[in-house]
Amino acid sequence: MSQPQQLRDESDFDQLPDNIPISATIADVEEKKGFIDYFRFVVEVKTKGGSKYLIYRRYREFFSLHQTLESKYSPDDPDRPGANACVLPPLPGKIYIGNKKEIAESRIPELNTYMKRLLGLPTWLLLDDALRMFFYQTEQDSQHAPRALRRLRPPTRKVKTVKAPKMDLFSSPRAEAMFDFRGNGKAELNLKRGEVIFLLRRVNADWLEGTANNQTGIFPESFVKIIKPLPESDSEGEGGGHTYSCLRCFLLTPSGVETRDVCVQEALTIQPTYNELVSRMRNVFKVDDIALNYRDPEGDLIRLLDDEDVQLMIKEGRRQQGQVQRPVNQFPWELHVSMASDLSVYGSEP
C-alpha cells in the first residue's frame, strides 16, 4: 500500500463515529431453551470510542448478515473489485447433523477469524446498516446477564479449593411431588411422585421453578404439595431466574380438545419461525401429522403454512391484546393444533 493511500485510510478511520464496532470476540456459548433448543454465541464488542459490551447471536444471524453483505458488496470479478465492492471473508458453512453444543464450540475459532477480517475491511463498509445492526447492543442484549465468560477469564496457575459452609436444605422453600410429571422440553423439570423439589421462584400463577436431582426447570404447581412456601419477593416472580413466557395451545381431536401451556425462555416479543412451532408442537403432543392454526376475530380457524402466516397470526394477536384477559407472561396469540388430514375443524368452534 502506498503512503498517500495509507494516510487516507487512517483519516477515514479517524472520522468514523465512536460507536462503530472495530473488534469482536466470542466469550462463550449459551444454551437457549426457546421454541426449539439452540446455542447462541456471547460476543464481546469493542467500539472505536473504547466502550465494550456483550451481544448474543445465533449462527443463523451470522449467516443472514453474510448473505446481506454478499448481495451488496461482492464483486462480479473477485480479482477486480469495483469502488463499492470488496471480497468478504469466508463464513463457516452450515452443519445439519451432530451435537449442538459441540458444533457451536467448534465454530468459535472460525467465527472469531470471520469477525476480525470483517471488521478489518474498508472503513466505508463499517458504516453499513446491516453490519451496524448486527453488532448493536439491543435492549434484550443489555438486560441479559451472561452465565459464564470462559474465554475472557484470565488463566490461573492454581485454584484454591474453599470448603463452602453446609447448607441446611430443610430450611429452604420446598415441595413434594404428588404425581409424576414429564416435561415437554429442557425448560421443564421431570418429577416423580414422592420427590422433594427445592423451590427457586414462582414463574406465574400456575408454574414454579425449582431443583430436583441436580436438574433445574419449571413445573406446574398442581403436581406438587408445598411444604415450605417461597418468600414473598420470589413468589411474585422477582427471584432473578430466567424469564419464561407461556403459550396456550389446543390439540383438536375427534374426542375433544386437549389444552396445554408451553413455557419457553423467550420474551413475549419473540417471533418464532413456522418450522420452530411445528417442531415444538410435535414434541408437546407426540403427534407428527399435524397442522397449525389460529383463530381470526370471527372465530374461524386459519391454517398456518409459512413464516408469513406466523407473522400475521402474531400481529392479529397483538391487535386483540387489550380485548382478552391473559396472564402477564402469556403470549398474546394462541395455537390450535389439528390433524393435517382433518378439514372438518375449519370454520367451527372447538
Side-chain angles (χ1 to χ4, degrees), residues 169-187:
L169 295 178
F170 293 100
S171 68
S172 304
R174 61 194 188 278
E176 180 184 349
M178 303 302 292
F179 310 96
D180 290 350
F181 172 72
R182 184 175 179 82
N184 290 316
K186 292 183 180 179

Side-chain angles (χ1 to χ4, degrees), residues 11 55 62 99 102 120 129 132 136 161 218 233 260 264 270 288 302 318 323 342:
S11 176
I55 61 175
F62 280 93
N99 180 279
E102 292 176 358
D129 289 341
R132 295 184 70 177
Y136 174 75
T161 302
I218 61 175
S233 62
R260 296 294 298 269
V264 294
I270 191 69
D288 289 331
I302 308 298
R318 289 172 179 166
Q323 305 171 20
D342 185 6

Side-chain angles (χ1 to χ4, degrees), residues 69-347:
L69 295 178
E70 269 193 328
S71 65
K72 290 182 178 180
Y73 305 116
S74 284
D76 296 330
D77 184 354
D79 295 328
R80 295 181 179 180
N84 294 321
C86 62
V87 179
L88 297 172
L91 179 73
K94 291 184 176 182
I95 302 174
Y96 296 96
I97 299 175
N99 180 279
K100 291 182 180 180
K101 184 175 183 180
E102 292 176 358
I103 292 172
E105 294 276 6
S106 68
R107 279 177 168 156
I108 291 177
E110 294 174 303
L111 288 177
N112 276 335
T113 300
Y114 174 77
M115 291 188 293
K116 180 179 179 180
R117 293 179 178 175
L118 189 64
L119 296 175
L121 290 173
T123 52
W124 53 263
L125 190 135
L126 299 182
L127 295 171
D128 179 85
D129 289 341
L131 185 71
R132 295 184 70 177
M133 286 305 300
F134 178 85
F135 288 106
Y136 174 75
Q137 187 184 44
T138 65
E139 185 177 355
Q140 287 184 346
D141 289 332
S142 63
Q143 292 177 352
H144 181 76
R147 298 167 201 164
L149 297 175
R150 295 171 298 160
R151 294 174 180 271
L152 295 184
R153 290 177 178 170
T156 55
R157 293 184 179 180
K158 187 177 180 180
V159 177
K160 184 178 179 181
T161 302
V162 179
K163 193 171 183 179
K166 194 169 183 179
M167 180 181 177
D168 182 8
L169 295 178
F170 293 100
S171 68
S172 304
R174 61 194 188 278
E176 180 184 349
M178 303 302 292
F179 310 96
D180 290 350
F181 172 72
R182 184 175 179 82
N184 290 316
K186 292 183 180 179
E188 298 181 10
L189 183 67
N190 292 328
L191 302 177
K192 287 188 177 180
R193 183 179 178 181
E195 280 185 340
V196 173
I197 307 99
F198 294 95
L199 306 178
L200 299 176
R201 70 184 183 105
R202 177 173 292 281
V203 177
N204 60 20
D206 303 313
W207 289 73
L208 297 166
E209 183 176 31
T211 299
N213 296 321
N214 295 320
Q215 300 292 322
T216 299
I218 61 175
F219 55 91
E221 184 177 6
S222 58
F223 278 67
V224 302
K225 177 178 71 176
I226 302 297
I227 299 173
K228 182 173 182 179
L230 286 160
E232 191 66 27
S233 62
D234 291 340
S235 294
E236 296 173 359
E238 299 174 0
H242 299 301
T243 299
Y244 289 94
S245 301
C246 295
L247 172 64
R248 179 64 55 88
C249 306
F250 304 92
L251 177 65
L252 313 180
T253 66
S255 58
V257 180
E258 180 182 346
T259 305
R260 296 294 298 269
D261 282 334
V262 178
C263 295
V264 294
Q265 289 178 16
E266 298 282 12
L268 290 174
T269 54
I270 191 69
Q271 184 168 293
T273 66
Y274 172 79
N275 288 334
E276 287 174 345
L277 290 176
V278 170
S279 176
R280 190 57 188 264
M281 291 303 103
R282 284 172 175 166
N283 183 55
V284 168
F285 294 112
K286 310 303 179 187
V287 181
D288 289 331
D289 187 28
I290 60 173
L292 304 185
N293 315 271
Y294 72 98
R295 289 202 178 276
D296 65 11
E298 287 71 41
D300 293 329
L301 279 184
I302 308 298
R303 179 173 284 196
L304 302 173
L305 298 175
D306 52 30
D307 290 345
E308 187 175 344
D309 289 341
V310 174
Q311 293 174 17
L312 291 173
M313 172 187 69
I314 294 175
K315 184 178 180 180
E316 182 63 34
R318 289 172 179 166
R319 191 179 67 82
Q320 300 182 54
Q321 194 165 1
Q323 305 171 20
V324 182
Q325 287 279 21
R326 289 191 177 95
V328 293
N329 69 329
Q330 184 171 314
F331 287 101
W333 43 277
E334 299 175 337
L335 274 183
H336 296 258
V337 182
S338 61
M339 300 301 104
S341 56
D342 185 6
L343 301 179
S344 65
V345 298
Y346 296 101

